[in-house]
Amino acid sequence: MKHTSKLFSLILLSLAIMLSGCTLTTKDEAASTPQATEGAEAVVDSKPVDIELLGMSSNEADLNIVRDQLAKNGFNVKLNIQADYGTFKAQQDAGNYDIALSSWTTVTGNPDYAVRSLFKTGGDYSIMSDKDIDALIDTASTQTPDQYTETYKQLEQKLVFDNAYIAPLYSSLKSQAFNQEVLNKDSVRLSKSRSLPWEELDFKDASKRNTEALVLQSAMATLTSLDPIKGNDGSINIINTNQYVRLLNLTDDDKLTAEGSLSYNFAIAEGNSDYYFILRDDIHFAEIKDKLVADSGERVGADDVIFSLDRAKNKDSVPDHRTYTLHEHIKNVELITDPAALESVKLSSGSGNVKNELEKGLDAKISELVSDKAQANSKEGKYQVVKLTTTVPFPQVLNYLAHQSAGIVSKKQVEKINTYDVAKFDVNKDIPYGDQNTVTEGSQYNNTLYTSGPYILAHKNDYEAVFYKNPGYMKGTKHEPKITVIKVRFIKDADSALSALRSGEIHLYYSVPETKFDIVKGDSKLALQTLPSNAASYLLFNTKNRPVAESADLRKAVLYSINQDEFLAYYGGNKFKAISTLSPLVKTGLELKADPAKVKEFLNAYQAGAAAK
């Protein structure tokens, strides 16, 4: 692999930094790191405060900038740099940090997703517990956009300025680069929130669809889980989005749509608590036999939808459920079998009824609603309709239904595989549905996946994962996948990934770093796509067994040491100022300004408090 010597040198440099206490800045770092804002004087303290900063090697530039900003303001920074997400998460779970460099992308296009899992007590990824913040998150979730801006402003005030639970760094562009000599540029979408739709990708030479593989790239070879409710991270978001169909999708600009989903149409009933979906009848589950794809013959239907959403909302449906808070507003999911029941329900808009809304654009109107999915026949007007009811009026529930965790799994197959007692789950002997070991080449390989989406993962190793087109996915429609085989090559290093794209080893590079944009633009074979994303990076404070967990003064000293202008300058204007993970979605008007005087004030208060104990 190219750049091996360069990577080795970086590792040695990182180790040297950690061992030295990280108070030195190399000549190259000094040249690449912008100076502090004019007029901002560094805090000088005879006794620097120790603080440990945790991050991954892929974010070393950001870690260096944060380290220098803290060092200038009276901190003695110890860098804890981990090679990948797995080891980073292990260090975070063990509590070996004061502040961790974190990031979040709101892949559902709605602000509730930007805060609920992260900052609400008991959230899937939350290490916080603050009843005031909990109340604001719940209040905003029931409000319309014209109402929730003020609520989210109050939330950001408490989260960042009043309590300094996080210290924001920036929000980012979303980007990808592809080989325009290989791919049809009109088939490559870049969406603000949703993952790249693989079914639309196509070769420039369409004759290659069945003879050549499309090669993509991922930095993470270890997959959290291929069960959509058990993972919500960069290792599987794109994969599970393309393996499991959902009731709804998002457009490229974050509007809700039934296009390309399991639903022909959807309707919101008066009161914003009841939601209806009329299901397609042209999707079958794919399965793998002898490492090759096959149509299972089982249609995706209402029983699978009800089963999938019931387990999505139930924290105890699987061990280590990582997405249940996204679906906790689902109260009930049921099958509707009486068409008259749809006619009697008014729409939330105040005009029309649910039945008319669901029938829009259909070749055949509803003549019968069937309970058996095998009996559904859209040509004859025989459909399945599912009704979802929320615990409270909650329109943002629809955005969560477009998330990969709401992917529809096979009720029959999952129940066949998951025979263990959840309460007594033994990781050493119980093999759950979606375990990556069941698709990894070797003695444990036993692929039991049943996928409802356009592709299915056949097998993987440490080098790549191989996906096949679902032969039973919307055949004969514009949504039928075009390319038969897609491979995802595992390349962790950004320089190596870009080199692989330029050499033709891969055809598309998702999430190109901003520092590589000029290289892409200078290569005539490549095309670069960018747009402002819903991603934000921030520092997360430890909430246990460290001084930062107890002292808001210490956290605020870190907060006001952060100079976002330096990040924007380093990335050539390709980053944007942020206050929280909400910033890309809701403009509250709040702004963080670096303030060395406040840093000194809060550090003095912290040290006085520590001395008094």
Side-chain angles (χ1 to χ4, degrees), residues 342-367:
L342 304 178
E343 291 186 90
S344 63
V345 181
K346 295 181 180 178
L347 296 174
S348 64
S349 62
S351 61
N353 62 52
V354 167
K355 183 173 182 289
N356 290 340
E357 185 72 11
L358 293 180
E359 289 177 329
K360 281 185 176 179
L362 297 182
D363 293 334
K365 304 296 184 182
I366 298 173
S367 63

Side-chain angles (χ1 to χ4, degrees), residues 377-519:
N377 189 323
S378 58
K379 294 179 181 178
E380 297 176 2
K382 298 178 180 179
Y383 298 95
Q384 289 198 304
V385 169
V386 170
K387 174 186 176 183
L388 182 151
T389 302
T390 54
T391 54
V392 294
F394 187 61
Q396 291 189 56
V397 72
L398 295 176
N399 293 77
Y400 290 131
L401 296 180
H403 186 254
Q404 61 89 16
S405 62
I408 308 305
V409 297
S410 166
K411 179 179 186 293
K412 182 178 74 174
Q413 183 70 358
V414 172
E415 288 182 334
K416 176 183 176 182
I417 302 302
N418 288 358
T419 57
Y420 54 81
D421 183 337
V422 174
K424 299 177 181 178
F425 179 78
D426 185 344
V427 69
N428 295 311
K429 68 179 182 68
D430 294 324
I431 302 176
Y433 176 83
D435 188 326
Q436 74 146 2
N437 291 318
T438 62
V439 299
T440 302
E441 294 173 348
S443 59
Q444 291 186 337
Y445 178 87
N446 180 28
N447 194 325
T448 57
L449 294 178
Y450 261 50
T451 66
S452 58
Y455 286 88
I456 183 170
L457 174 53
H459 51 92
K460 70 173 284 289
N461 51 35
D462 291 338
Y463 178 64
E464 67 180 10
V466 178
F467 297 80
Y468 292 123
K469 167 184 173 178
N470 179 351
Y473 189 83
M474 301 194 199
K475 290 185 68 173
T477 74
K478 65 180 180 178
H479 302 295
E480 179 182 352
K482 296 175 176 62
I483 295 175
T484 300
V485 181
I486 290 181
K487 296 181 179 181
V488 175
R489 195 70 45 81
F490 299 124
I491 308 174
K492 181 167 60 176
D493 176 63
D495 287 326
S496 298
L498 183 55
S499 178
L501 178 67
R502 300 186 71 188
S503 69
E505 180 185 345
I506 64 174
H507 303 135
L508 187 147
Y509 179 11
Y510 196 75
S511 296
V512 180
E514 290 90 343
T515 53
K516 309 298 182 186
F517 284 1
D518 287 343
I519 297 175

